[in-house]
Amino acid sequence: MRQNNSITQERARRSKAEADAENAFKVRLSIRTALGDKAYVWDTNEEYLFKAMVAFSMRKVPNRETTEISHVLLCNVTQRVSFWFVVTDPSKNHTLPAVEIESAIRMNRNRINNAFFLNDQSLEFLKIPTTLAPPTDPSVPIWIIIFGVIFCIVIVAVVLLILSGIRERRRKSKEPSEADDTEDKCENTITIENGIPCDPLDTKGGHINDAFMTEDERLTPL
Amino acid sequence: MEKARPLWANSLQFVFACISYAVGLGNVWRFPYLCQMYGGGSFLVPYIIMLFVEGMPLLYLELAVGQRMRQGSIGAWRTISPYLSGVGLASVVASFFLATYYNIINAWAFWYLFHSFQDPLPWSVCPLNHNRTGYDEECEKASSTQYFWYRKTLNISPSIQDSGRVQWEPALCLVLAWLVVYLCILRGTESTGKVVYFTASLPYCVLLIYLVRGLTLHGATNGLAYMFTPKLEQLANPKAWINAATQIFFSLGLGFGSLIAFASYNQPSNNCQKHAIIVSLINSSTSIFASIVTFSIYGFKATFNYESCLDKVILLLTNSFDLEDGFLTPSNLEQVKSYLASAFPSKYSEVLPQIKNCSLQSELATAVQGTGLSFIVYTEAIKNMEVSQLWSVLYFLMLLMLGIGSMLGNTAAILTPLTDSKVISRHLPKEAISGLVCLVNCVIGLVFTMEAGNYWFDIFNDYAATLSLLLIVLVETIAVCYVYGLRRFESDLKAMTGRTLNWYWKVIWAGVSPLLIVSLFVFYLTDYILTGTLKYQAWDASQGQLVTKDYPPHALAVIGLLVASSTMCIPLVALGTFITRCFKRKGDTPPVA
């Protein structure tokens, strides 16, 4: 553990900090994880800034406008970097209740984070739960909009196809005289064998082929 | 006079339709699972053998029957023998069940697709709890992707008995899915033929893009090495062979009547042997291709989870022992752990229960199949990629194309016999028939949008079309070879296409395939009987994981009904035809032609 001037100075006050442990908060910073190469070293100056931010937060609470930086005590700074702090009230010689400190920190959490280039996950106050940002909820969910667009396109396409099918069918049924021809054409396409159309062999129109007429007559008795 | 039968505009449309039908979700979410379970690279051996021995011949048989008979499944089997029109009817019933439950997958794909246009993706973050101090409890216990699937998409109930209400969001997506299917089949082969260009080719484009992305992901090689390292001892496991056979069988979609329907719109001179070989080869290579993509994604996800697990352990130790931030790294973790255990034994033993054993192997070994793979595992991997919205949109578009392509085949199997039937097509135009079929299926499909809907989906998925298909294809093979006569069929094919039938197909059709199918059938039956009561996986919201429960009696009744309704068609119709013929002969009036 690195020796530090501020720690030796505060050792005297450490007993006080530990005695009021219920009003003390543990803070944990993950500077290297958050900033990588741009990580700064945690030294006494940073601690001074921290004390200043806490004092600033307390000064915003009504009745606590006279909080000074020297009222904030830090102790047990580890390599992690983590430490405990309390805010004292020298006039009454006691530590301020945890509830007040908690609400003050919560109000100004963003300012404190920004002062250190950190966020709620890398600058943790262990007893103070973070207020998570609510997810942005648009008034109409996006998926309904896209659904509506695709739905309308599909309905329009279906209606168009059905209408064009009906129109084709109406056109076909409006030409009854051609219906027989189309039927014959179908017959013709089916009955083409060896390239010879079978038209001459059809009894189309009721004509009887004379070539076969004489069969019966030939067989009549004498 | 009847109108001439509609035809495919060119044989490419026919091939694309078959590919679009055969290449479906099973290639993406079942084959990689089987590969992982049964020995990785060595699973390819039984798979390829079964492809040549079972898949190709049976596919060729169905296409040839359809092309020769030029009718849907009911008419085709009635032509072969009037006693066998029950086979066609059983195919139609099985297709009907499949169509009912398959389209809900498309509805879910639509749901995820529409939600992919948000930043951040909704399944990447947990929602907050009531007082905004933490995340939702169920989401914490499970993961955000599982929460989005089970709670937001399905809103699943704890058991199949608690049906709940119809959820309007998935119901809307289901209606849209059916409208899209209706749009594609509305005009028959005319519209289907153009749609299949898309549904057959788009999945390949997306898979190719994913292949490139997947192989460049960090940790992908772990997954690929895990998958392709052959575990040759699995070759001796009979389950590997049985699963290879069933996978080939169901992946090609045999027995539903869709292939017969598609082939019936062919020119009689079409070379269906070539097409059968092409389609089955493409189907199997797509499975292998998709599993390469899936395993690189698995590798990425497993590596990511492994590294997150290590990071959590590092954070825990750093915080408990107030070590310097950044001192602990994955490389020195073990050394430091042993140092801490010896230097601060009491404190270490306090922390020890919370330290998880992170293992890359165990992350890789989590084998998932089905909807779990597509909607939970893949989405988990996607949320960690850069530009995750783009990858998400591409992925769900691909799932949609695969699903809709298969739906086109299913609905063709139902519609072709209906439009072939003179009774129905005289009264209703084909748009109305298609509309009615889609409407009925949509209304029944609303069952799957209820809170217990996913449990019913699993029932349909596992039982509606498995046993019955095996029976149908068995009867088909025996009918063609022995009832119609293999020689007669051979000469029909020669007259139709001008090519002689290779001896290989004859041997397989007459001997090998029926034996294979009978053995698969026996295996399935013994499996059902041996497992005793059927169980299912239910989602427990309080624990945030799946638990196993027994099916209640009414669910078992539905299962029995599903299996019986399609298999019983075959003997019942045969019996009915026999009885009506007996009555006709007994009557004194001569039979009217």
Side-chain angles (χ1 to χ4, degrees), chain A residues 38-64:
Chain A
K38 304 199 198 102
Y40 48 82
V41 179
W42 186 259
D43 55 15
T44 43
N45 300 325
E46 306 286 341
E47 287 177 23
Y48 191 81
L49 177 58
F50 184 80
K51 286 193 254 186
M53 295 306 295
V54 173
F56 162 75
S57 312
M58 290 313 298
R59 284 169 89 112
K60 289 208 147 175
V61 175
N63 291 340
R64 298 285 175 206

PDB file of all heavy atoms in Angstrom, chain A residues 38-64:
ATOM      1  N   LYS A  38      -5.986   6.657 -21.106  1.00  0.00           N
ATOM      2  CA  LYS A  38      -6.065   8.029 -20.598  1.00  0.00           C
ATOM      3  C   LYS A  38      -6.260   8.056 -19.082  1.00  0.00           C
ATOM      4  O   LYS A  38      -6.614   9.083 -18.521  1.00  0.00           O
ATOM      5  CB  LYS A  38      -7.253   8.745 -21.254  1.00  0.00           C
ATOM      6  CG  LYS A  38      -7.202   8.735 -22.762  1.00  0.00           C
ATOM      7  CD  LYS A  38      -8.093   9.811 -23.345  1.00  0.00           C
ATOM      8  CE  LYS A  38      -8.377   9.513 -24.802  1.00  0.00           C
ATOM      9  NZ  LYS A  38      -9.707   8.945 -25.032  1.00  0.00           N
ATOM     10  N   ALA A  39      -6.043   6.926 -18.424  1.00  0.00           N
ATOM     11  CA  ALA A  39      -6.278   6.880 -16.974  1.00  0.00           C
ATOM     12  C   ALA A  39      -5.296   7.776 -16.235  1.00  0.00           C
ATOM     13  O   ALA A  39      -4.106   7.819 -16.570  1.00  0.00           O
ATOM     14  CB  ALA A  39      -6.150   5.438 -16.482  1.00  0.00           C
ATOM     15  N   TYR A  40      -5.798   8.485 -15.249  1.00  0.00           N
ATOM     16  CA  TYR A  40      -4.941   9.338 -14.441  1.00  0.00           C
ATOM     17  C   TYR A  40      -4.628   8.618 -13.131  1.00  0.00           C
ATOM     18  O   TYR A  40      -5.308   7.662 -12.751  1.00  0.00           O
ATOM     19  CB  TYR A  40      -5.599  10.685 -14.177  1.00  0.00           C
ATOM     20  CG  TYR A  40      -7.039  10.586 -13.713  1.00  0.00           C
ATOM     21  CD1 TYR A  40      -7.350  10.322 -12.380  1.00  0.00           C
ATOM     22  CD2 TYR A  40      -8.088  10.756 -14.612  1.00  0.00           C
ATOM     23  CE1 TYR A  40      -8.659  10.209 -11.959  1.00  0.00           C
ATOM     24  CE2 TYR A  40      -9.407  10.655 -14.198  1.00  0.00           C
ATOM     25  CZ  TYR A  40      -9.689  10.376 -12.875  1.00  0.00           C
ATOM     26  OH  TYR A  40     -10.986  10.266 -12.464  1.00  0.00           O
ATOM     27  N   VAL A  41      -3.618   9.102 -12.462  1.00  0.00           N
ATOM     28  CA  VAL A  41      -3.218   8.485 -11.197  1.00  0.00           C
ATOM     29  C   VAL A  41      -4.028   9.117 -10.068  1.00  0.00           C
ATOM     30  O   VAL A  41      -4.256  10.322 -10.058  1.00  0.00           O
ATOM     31  CB  VAL A  41      -1.712   8.711 -10.951  1.00  0.00           C
ATOM     32  CG1 VAL A  41      -1.284   8.087  -9.630  1.00  0.00           C
ATOM     33  CG2 VAL A  41      -0.913   8.133 -12.108  1.00  0.00           C
ATOM     34  N   TRP A  42      -4.455   8.262  -9.131  1.00  0.00           N
ATOM     35  CA  TRP A  42      -5.237   8.804  -8.017  1.00  0.00           C
ATOM     36  C   TRP A  42      -4.272   9.294  -6.953  1.00  0.00           C
ATOM     37  O   TRP A  42      -3.570   8.529  -6.342  1.00  0.00           O
ATOM     38  CB  TRP A  42      -6.127   7.696  -7.466  1.00  0.00           C
ATOM     39  CG  TRP A  42      -7.078   8.173  -6.422  1.00  0.00           C
ATOM     40  CD1 TRP A  42      -6.938   8.033  -5.071  1.00  0.00           C
ATOM     41  CD2 TRP A  42      -8.278   8.893  -6.614  1.00  0.00           C
ATOM     42  NE1 TRP A  42      -7.990   8.602  -4.406  1.00  0.00           N
ATOM     43  CE2 TRP A  42      -8.831   9.151  -5.346  1.00  0.00           C
ATOM     44  CE3 TRP A  42      -8.962   9.354  -7.744  1.00  0.00           C
ATOM     45  CZ2 TRP A  42     -10.029   9.832  -5.180  1.00  0.00           C
ATOM     46  CZ3 TRP A  42     -10.155  10.027  -7.560  1.00  0.00           C
ATOM     47  CH2 TRP A  42     -10.676  10.278  -6.290  1.00  0.00           C
ATOM     48  N   ASP A  43      -4.246  10.582  -6.780  1.00  0.00           N
ATOM     49  CA  ASP A  43      -3.343  11.126  -5.765  1.00  0.00           C
ATOM     50  C   ASP A  43      -4.115  12.094  -4.867  1.00  0.00           C
ATOM     51  O   ASP A  43      -5.321  12.187  -4.933  1.00  0.00           O
ATOM     52  CB  ASP A  43      -2.145  11.803  -6.447  1.00  0.00           C
ATOM     53  CG  ASP A  43      -2.602  12.862  -7.443  1.00  0.00           C
ATOM     54  OD1 ASP A  43      -3.792  13.260  -7.385  1.00  0.00           O
ATOM     55  OD2 ASP A  43      -1.789  13.275  -8.289  1.00  0.00           O
ATOM     56  N   THR A  44      -3.375  12.828  -4.031  1.00  0.00           N
ATOM     57  CA  THR A  44      -4.030  13.699  -3.054  1.00  0.00           C
ATOM     58  C   THR A  44      -4.839  14.790  -3.726  1.00  0.00           C
ATOM     59  O   THR A  44      -5.870  15.230  -3.200  1.00  0.00           O
ATOM     60  CB  THR A  44      -2.991  14.373  -2.141  1.00  0.00           C
ATOM     61  OG1 THR A  44      -1.903  14.809  -2.945  1.00  0.00           O
ATOM     62  CG2 THR A  44      -2.493  13.385  -1.107  1.00  0.00           C
ATOM     63  N   ASN A  45      -4.377  15.236  -4.919  1.00  0.00           N
ATOM     64  CA  ASN A  45      -5.130  16.281  -5.596  1.00  0.00           C
ATOM     65  C   ASN A  45      -6.502  15.784  -6.024  1.00  0.00           C
ATOM     66  O   ASN A  45      -7.502  16.489  -5.910  1.00  0.00           O
ATOM     67  CB  ASN A  45      -4.361  16.785  -6.819  1.00  0.00           C
ATOM     68  CG  ASN A  45      -3.028  17.346  -6.427  1.00  0.00           C
ATOM     69  OD1 ASN A  45      -2.896  17.954  -5.357  1.00  0.00           O
ATOM     70  ND2 ASN A  45      -2.020  17.135  -7.260  1.00  0.00           N
ATOM     71  N   GLU A  46      -6.515  14.525  -6.501  1.00  0.00           N
ATOM     72  CA  GLU A  46      -7.806  13.962  -6.874  1.00  0.00           C
ATOM     73  C   GLU A  46      -8.700  13.826  -5.648  1.00  0.00           C
ATOM     74  O   GLU A  46      -9.908  14.070  -5.698  1.00  0.00           O
ATOM     75  CB  GLU A  46      -7.618  12.586  -7.528  1.00  0.00           C
ATOM     76  CG  GLU A  46      -6.660  12.556  -8.711  1.00  0.00           C
ATOM     77  CD  GLU A  46      -7.253  13.176  -9.951  1.00  0.00           C
ATOM     78  OE1 GLU A  46      -8.491  13.303 -10.016  1.00  0.00           O
ATOM     79  OE2 GLU A  46      -6.497  13.539 -10.871  1.00  0.00           O
ATOM     80  N   GLU A  47      -8.078  13.456  -4.547  1.00  0.00           N
ATOM     81  CA  GLU A  47      -8.860  13.330  -3.314  1.00  0.00           C
ATOM     82  C   GLU A  47      -9.429  14.680  -2.907  1.00  0.00           C
ATOM     83  O   GLU A  47     -10.573  14.774  -2.443  1.00  0.00           O
ATOM     84  CB  GLU A  47      -7.989  12.774  -2.175  1.00  0.00           C
ATOM     85  CG  GLU A  47      -7.680  11.309  -2.335  1.00  0.00           C
ATOM     86  CD  GLU A  47      -6.769  10.803  -1.240  1.00  0.00           C
ATOM     87  OE1 GLU A  47      -6.723  11.432  -0.162  1.00  0.00           O
ATOM     88  OE2 GLU A  47      -6.099   9.791  -1.463  1.00  0.00           O
ATOM     89  N   TYR A  48      -8.625  15.705  -3.112  1.00  0.00           N
ATOM     90  CA  TYR A  48      -9.100  17.053  -2.782  1.00  0.00           C
ATOM     91  C   TYR A  48     -10.307  17.399  -3.630  1.00  0.00           C
ATOM     92  O   TYR A  48     -11.295  17.940  -3.137  1.00  0.00           O
ATOM     93  CB  TYR A  48      -7.961  18.058  -2.999  1.00  0.00           C
ATOM     94  CG  TYR A  48      -8.255  19.422  -2.452  1.00  0.00           C
ATOM     95  CD1 TYR A  48      -8.088  19.692  -1.083  1.00  0.00           C
ATOM     96  CD2 TYR A  48      -8.734  20.448  -3.286  1.00  0.00           C
ATOM     97  CE1 TYR A  48      -8.374  20.944  -0.575  1.00  0.00           C
ATOM     98  CE2 TYR A  48      -9.016  21.688  -2.774  1.00  0.00           C
ATOM     99  CZ  TYR A  48      -8.824  21.942  -1.423  1.00  0.00           C
ATOM    100  OH  TYR A  48      -9.111  23.174  -0.905  1.00  0.00           O
ATOM    101  N   LEU A  49     -10.218  17.057  -4.916  1.00  0.00           N
ATOM    102  CA  LEU A  49     -11.354  17.338  -5.812  1.00  0.00           C
ATOM    103  C   LEU A  49     -12.587  16.569  -5.338  1.00  0.00           C
ATOM    104  O   LEU A  49     -13.697  17.107  -5.326  1.00  0.00           O
ATOM    105  CB  LEU A  49     -10.980  16.937  -7.244  1.00  0.00           C
ATOM    106  CG  LEU A  49     -12.097  17.116  -8.285  1.00  0.00           C
ATOM    107  CD1 LEU A  49     -12.564  18.566  -8.332  1.00  0.00           C
ATOM    108  CD2 LEU A  49     -11.608  16.656  -9.649  1.00  0.00           C
ATOM    109  N   PHE A  50     -12.369  15.334  -4.897  1.00  0.00           N
ATOM    110  CA  PHE A  50     -13.499  14.539  -4.444  1.00  0.00           C
ATOM    111  C   PHE A  50     -14.162  15.183  -3.233  1.00  0.00           C
ATOM    112  O   PHE A  50     -15.385  15.309  -3.155  1.00  0.00           O
ATOM    113  CB  PHE A  50     -13.048  13.112  -4.119  1.00  0.00           C
ATOM    114  CG  PHE A  50     -14.175  12.219  -3.727  1.00  0.00           C
ATOM    115  CD1 PHE A  50     -14.987  11.643  -4.678  1.00  0.00           C
ATOM    116  CD2 PHE A  50     -14.453  11.983  -2.367  1.00  0.00           C
ATOM    117  CE1 PHE A  50     -16.054  10.841  -4.314  1.00  0.00           C
ATOM    118  CE2 PHE A  50     -15.515  11.182  -2.004  1.00  0.00           C
ATOM    119  CZ  PHE A  50     -16.312  10.607  -2.976  1.00  0.00           C
ATOM    120  N   LYS A  51     -13.326  15.583  -2.299  1.00  0.00           N
ATOM    121  CA  LYS A  51     -13.872  16.230  -1.103  1.00  0.00           C
ATOM    122  C   LYS A  51     -14.645  17.476  -1.507  1.00  0.00           C
ATOM    123  O   LYS A  51     -15.714  17.779  -0.955  1.00  0.00           O
ATOM    124  CB  LYS A  51     -12.740  16.594  -0.133  1.00  0.00           C
ATOM    125  CG  LYS A  51     -12.162  15.405   0.591  1.00  0.00           C
ATOM    126  CD  LYS A  51     -11.300  15.846   1.737  1.00  0.00           C
ATOM    127  CE  LYS A  51      -9.846  15.663   1.399  1.00  0.00           C
ATOM    128  NZ  LYS A  51      -8.980  15.948   2.570  1.00  0.00           N
ATOM    129  N   ALA A  52     -14.079  18.208  -2.488  1.00  0.00           N
ATOM    130  CA  ALA A  52     -14.750  19.430  -2.932  1.00  0.00           C
ATOM    131  C   ALA A  52     -16.112  19.104  -3.527  1.00  0.00           C
ATOM    132  O   ALA A  52     -17.111  19.800  -3.274  1.00  0.00           O
ATOM    133  CB  ALA A  52     -13.877  20.142  -3.963  1.00  0.00           C
ATOM    134  N   MET A  53     -16.195  18.042  -4.330  1.00  0.00           N
ATOM    135  CA  MET A  53     -17.475  17.676  -4.947  1.00  0.00           C
ATOM    136  C   MET A  53     -18.492  17.278  -3.893  1.00  0.00           C
ATOM    137  O   MET A  53     -19.674  17.634  -3.994  1.00  0.00           O
ATOM    138  CB  MET A  53     -17.286  16.523  -5.943  1.00  0.00           C
ATOM    139  CG  MET A  53     -16.432  16.838  -7.148  1.00  0.00           C
ATOM    140  SD  MET A  53     -16.960  18.281  -8.061  1.00  0.00           S
ATOM    141  CE  MET A  53     -18.548  17.772  -8.663  1.00  0.00           C
ATOM    142  N   VAL A  54     -18.039  16.534  -2.885  1.00  0.00           N
ATOM    143  CA  VAL A  54     -18.981  16.126  -1.837  1.00  0.00           C
ATOM    144  C   VAL A  54     -19.468  17.348  -1.077  1.00  0.00           C
ATOM    145  O   VAL A  54     -20.662  17.497  -0.797  1.00  0.00           O
ATOM    146  CB  VAL A  54     -18.325  15.109  -0.884  1.00  0.00           C
ATOM    147  CG1 VAL A  54     -19.228  14.825   0.300  1.00  0.00           C
ATOM    148  CG2 VAL A  54     -18.025  13.816  -1.613  1.00  0.00           C
ATOM    149  N   ALA A  55     -18.521  18.250  -0.763  1.00  0.00           N
ATOM    150  CA  ALA A  55     -18.912  19.476  -0.045  1.00  0.00           C
ATOM    151  C   ALA A  55     -19.886  20.274  -0.888  1.00  0.00           C
ATOM    152  O   ALA A  55     -20.885  20.811  -0.376  1.00  0.00           O
ATOM    153  CB  ALA A  55     -17.661  20.288   0.266  1.00  0.00           C
ATOM    154  N   PHE A  56     -19.597  20.352  -2.177  1.00  0.00           N
ATOM    155  CA  PHE A  56     -20.488  21.073  -3.101  1.00  0.00           C
ATOM    156  C   PHE A  56     -21.888  20.470  -3.064  1.00  0.00           C
ATOM    157  O   PHE A  56     -22.902  21.184  -3.013  1.00  0.00           O
ATOM    158  CB  PHE A  56     -19.874  20.998  -4.492  1.00  0.00           C
ATOM    159  CG  PHE A  56     -20.830  21.308  -5.605  1.00  0.00           C
ATOM    160  CD1 PHE A  56     -21.228  22.611  -5.856  1.00  0.00           C
ATOM    161  CD2 PHE A  56     -21.340  20.286  -6.402  1.00  0.00           C
ATOM    162  CE1 PHE A  56     -22.104  22.897  -6.884  1.00  0.00           C
ATOM    163  CE2 PHE A  56     -22.207  20.574  -7.423  1.00  0.00           C
ATOM    164  CZ  PHE A  56     -22.596  21.871  -7.672  1.00  0.00           C
ATOM    165  N   SER A  57     -21.966  19.132  -3.089  1.00  0.00           N
ATOM    166  CA  SER A  57     -23.277  18.492  -3.060  1.00  0.00           C
ATOM    167  C   SER A  57     -24.004  18.801  -1.769  1.00  0.00           C
ATOM    168  O   SER A  57     -25.211  19.072  -1.769  1.00  0.00           O
ATOM    169  CB  SER A  57     -23.142  16.964  -3.182  1.00  0.00           C
ATOM    170  OG  SER A  57     -22.289  16.636  -4.221  1.00  0.00           O
ATOM    171  N   MET A  58     -23.277  18.795  -0.652  1.00  0.00           N
ATOM    172  CA  MET A  58     -23.910  19.060   0.635  1.00  0.00           C
ATOM    173  C   MET A  58     -24.374  20.497   0.713  1.00  0.00           C
ATOM    174  O   MET A  58     -25.409  20.800   1.305  1.00  0.00           O
ATOM    175  CB  MET A  58     -22.938  18.777   1.794  1.00  0.00           C
ATOM    176  CG  MET A  58     -22.623  17.321   2.001  1.00  0.00           C
ATOM    177  SD  MET A  58     -24.048  16.247   2.013  1.00  0.00           S
ATOM    178  CE  MET A  58     -24.932  16.869   3.417  1.00  0.00           C
ATOM    179  N   ARG A  59     -23.625  21.397   0.086  1.00  0.00           N
ATOM    180  CA  ARG A  59     -23.998  22.817   0.174  1.00  0.00           C
ATOM    181  C   ARG A  59     -25.307  23.073  -0.533  1.00  0.00           C
ATOM    182  O   ARG A  59     -25.963  24.075  -0.298  1.00  0.00           O
ATOM    183  CB  ARG A  59     -22.896  23.687  -0.428  1.00  0.00           C
ATOM    184  CG  ARG A  59     -21.695  23.826   0.487  1.00  0.00           C
ATOM    185  CD  ARG A  59     -20.553  24.465  -0.239  1.00  0.00           C
ATOM    186  NE  ARG A  59     -20.625  25.910  -0.115  1.00  0.00           N
ATOM    187  CZ  ARG A  59     -19.769  26.647   0.567  1.00  0.00           C
ATOM    188  NH1 ARG A  59     -18.749  26.057   1.192  1.00  0.00           N
ATOM    189  NH2 ARG A  59     -19.886  27.935   0.636  1.00  0.00           N
ATOM    190  N   LYS A  60     -25.684  22.183  -1.406  1.00  0.00           N
ATOM    191  CA  LYS A  60     -26.946  22.393  -2.116  1.00  0.00           C
ATOM    192  C   LYS A  60     -28.146  21.964  -1.289  1.00  0.00           C
ATOM    193  O   LYS A  60     -29.280  22.265  -1.644  1.00  0.00           O
ATOM    194  CB  LYS A  60     -26.935  21.581  -3.411  1.00  0.00           C
ATOM    195  CG  LYS A  60     -25.972  22.150  -4.433  1.00  0.00           C
ATOM    196  CD  LYS A  60     -26.412  21.831  -5.827  1.00  0.00           C
ATOM    197  CE  LYS A  60     -26.028  22.932  -6.750  1.00  0.00           C
ATOM    198  NZ  LYS A  60     -26.334  22.607  -8.127  1.00  0.00           N
ATOM    199  N   VAL A  61     -27.866  21.273  -0.192  1.00  0.00           N
ATOM    200  CA  VAL A  61     -28.973  20.862   0.677  1.00  0.00           C
ATOM    201  C   VAL A  61     -29.343  22.028   1.576  1.00  0.00           C
ATOM    202  O   VAL A  61     -28.460  22.673   2.124  1.00  0.00           O
ATOM    203  CB  VAL A  61     -28.529  19.636   1.527  1.00  0.00           C
ATOM    204  CG1 VAL A  61     -29.605  19.250   2.519  1.00  0.00           C
ATOM    205  CG2 VAL A  61     -28.186  18.471   0.618  1.00  0.00           C
ATOM    206  N   PRO A  62     -30.642  22.308   1.736  1.00  0.00           N
ATOM    207  CA  PRO A  62     -31.015  23.396   2.658  1.00  0.00           C
ATOM    208  C   PRO A  62     -30.522  23.074   4.071  1.00  0.00           C
ATOM    209  O   PRO A  62     -30.529  21.937   4.480  1.00  0.00           O
ATOM    210  CB  PRO A  62     -32.552  23.394   2.618  1.00  0.00           C
ATOM    211  CG  PRO A  62     -32.957  22.462   1.548  1.00  0.00           C
ATOM    212  CD  PRO A  62     -31.776  21.723   1.060  1.00  0.00           C
ATOM    213  N   ASN A  63     -30.091  24.070   4.771  1.00  0.00           N
ATOM    214  CA  ASN A  63     -29.519  23.943   6.128  1.00  0.00           C
ATOM    215  C   ASN A  63     -28.084  23.475   6.117  1.00  0.00           C
ATOM    216  O   ASN A  63     -27.489  23.393   7.180  1.00  0.00           O
ATOM    217  CB  ASN A  63     -30.296  22.963   7.022  1.00  0.00           C
ATOM    218  CG  ASN A  63     -31.657  23.504   7.371  1.00  0.00           C
ATOM    219  OD1 ASN A  63     -31.879  24.705   7.279  1.00  0.00           O
ATOM    220  ND2 ASN A  63     -32.548  22.638   7.759  1.00  0.00           N
ATOM    221  N   ARG A  64     -27.550  23.119   4.991  1.00  0.00           N
ATOM    222  CA  ARG A  64     -26.155  22.636   5.008  1.00  0.00           C
ATOM    223  C   ARG A  64     -25.275  23.512   4.138  1.00  0.00           C
ATOM    224  O   ARG A  64     -24.243  23.061   3.658  1.00  0.00           O
ATOM    225  CB  ARG A  64     -26.078  21.188   4.499  1.00  0.00           C
ATOM    226  CG  ARG A  64     -26.845  20.198   5.336  1.00  0.00           C
ATOM    227  CD  ARG A  64     -26.127  19.907   6.627  1.00  0.00           C
ATOM    228  NE  ARG A  64     -26.955  19.038   7.480  1.00  0.00           N
ATOM    229  CZ  ARG A  64     -26.873  18.991   8.791  1.00  0.00           C
ATOM    230  NH1 ARG A  64     -26.022  19.780   9.442  1.00  0.00           N
ATOM    231  NH2 ARG A  64     -27.618  18.170   9.492  1.00  0.00           N
TER     232      ARG A  64
END
